[in-house]
Amino acid sequence: MAMTADKVSAEKQKAPKKLKSFKLGFDFRTQLELKLMLLPAVLFIFLFDFTPLFGLIMAFKNFDPVMGVKGIFTADWNNFTHFKRVFDNFQFWPMVRNTLGINLIGAAVSIPCTLMFALLLNEIQNARFKSFVQTITYLPHFLSWVIFGGLFITLLNSDGIVNYVLQQLNLIDSPIQFLADPSYFWGVAIGTGLLKDIGWGAILYLAAMAGVDQSLHEAASIDGAGRFKRMLHITIPGILPTLMVLVIFAVSGMLNNNFTQIYVLQNSLNLPASQVIDTYVYQTGLLNFQFSSATAIGLMKSVFALLLLFGANWTSKKITKSGLF
């Protein structure tokens, strides 16, 4: 019996000890430093992302800016009056058309162009030349739209270099007013956006390409596949999840324009083609002090963006078996 008891105790000592289950919020002794590092980010998100959500009730009230914050509590409820006023506004449907048009055409142009640029950049063998091209192409991303947009305003002016070159090539007889004619604004907005962010967007694709198994390329090369076929049948399928995530983001952001870009390029002459939801919210809320109407527009835009996000993710998972969540 003594031998049996000794064997049992020895087996208990040899048996691995069970790891203690982690309980979020109670393990301060080992993770206090990490939580203190996380605290500023949590406070930042709470102050600037969650606290402003309280102001959404202004969309359902007759808020008077003169009353200040107290007016949010004391103002009368008006149900959906501001939403009806937005839909009845003669500028509503033109600005929705401009918003969707610039975003849809822009996504249809920028995503394939950025993908093709990344694929070609990935095939460059000279490391120095590849690094040089990357630096030159993603450098404009770090310039503000005030600088980058101002540069293109100068280039596209009636006496700018673009009109000068076109006239010297006998392609036009008289200067084109690119930013004064509404018919050119969409093209200018999409083109300048592509030139500014094509290099930065290619970084995401290049990072995904680095994760593709290189043995697949080696096996395909041995079988006689050229660069184009390896690109088409190995690289693109390998980065498909990353591509679909970017497409989902593009679809969910169809109602969001780059406000700074549009505002810099916008003027009274191209307003019929440049008035988008973001600039209209700015003019309604900050310039005309109609905070309730601006809040109603922003709330509607957020709801539709959320629906687009779930719809794009569901479609992506059905078609490609890959999605954001």
Side-chain angles (χ1 to χ4, degrees), residues 15 110 125 183 250 256:
S110 63
Q125 301 298 321
S183 61
N256 292 321

Side-chain angles (χ1 to χ4, degrees), residues 3-16:
M3 292 292 292
T4 305
D6 291 339
K7 288 182 179 180
V8 172
S9 60
E11 290 178 355
K12 287 183 178 180
Q13 291 178 358
K14 292 180 180 180

Side-chain angles (χ1 to χ4, degrees), residues 158-176:
S158 59
D159 55 352
I161 189 172
V162 175
N163 276 302
Y164 175 77
V165 172
L166 293 176
Q167 285 179 310
Q168 291 299 314
L169 295 174
N170 294 322
L171 297 177
I172 59 174
D173 297 327
S174 59
I176 299 175

Side-chain angles (χ1 to χ4, degrees), residues 120-130 227 230:
L120 296 176
L121 195 61
N122 189 54
E123 296 298 324
I124 297 177
Q125 301 298 321
N126 191 319
R128 288 188 176 181
F129 180 70
K130 181 179 180 179
R227 287 189 176 185
R230 296 201 305 268

Side-chain angles (χ1 to χ4, degrees), residues 22 38 53 109 126 172 195 232-233 251 260 271 305 310 316:
F22 172 72
L38 188 63
L53 294 177
V109 171
N126 191 319
I172 59 174
L195 289 174
L232 186 63
H233 298 288
V251 172
T260 311
L271 198 61
F310 282 101
S316 175

Side-chain angles (χ1 to χ4, degrees), residues 103-156:
N103 283 323
L104 281 171
I105 300 175
V109 171
S110 63
I111 292 177
C113 288
T114 306
L115 176 60
M116 184 60 63
F117 176 73
L119 290 171
L120 296 176
L121 195 61
N122 189 54
E123 296 298 324
I124 297 177
Q125 301 298 321
N126 191 319
R128 288 188 176 181
F129 180 70
K130 181 179 180 179
S131 177
F132 173 77
V133 174
Q134 279 186 282
T135 303
I136 293 299
T137 52
Y138 73 63
L139 185 62
H141 175 80
F142 298 99
L143 297 176
S144 69
W145 268 109
V146 176
I147 298 174
F148 195 76
L151 175 63
F152 269 90
I153 290 174
T154 303
L155 294 176
L156 297 175

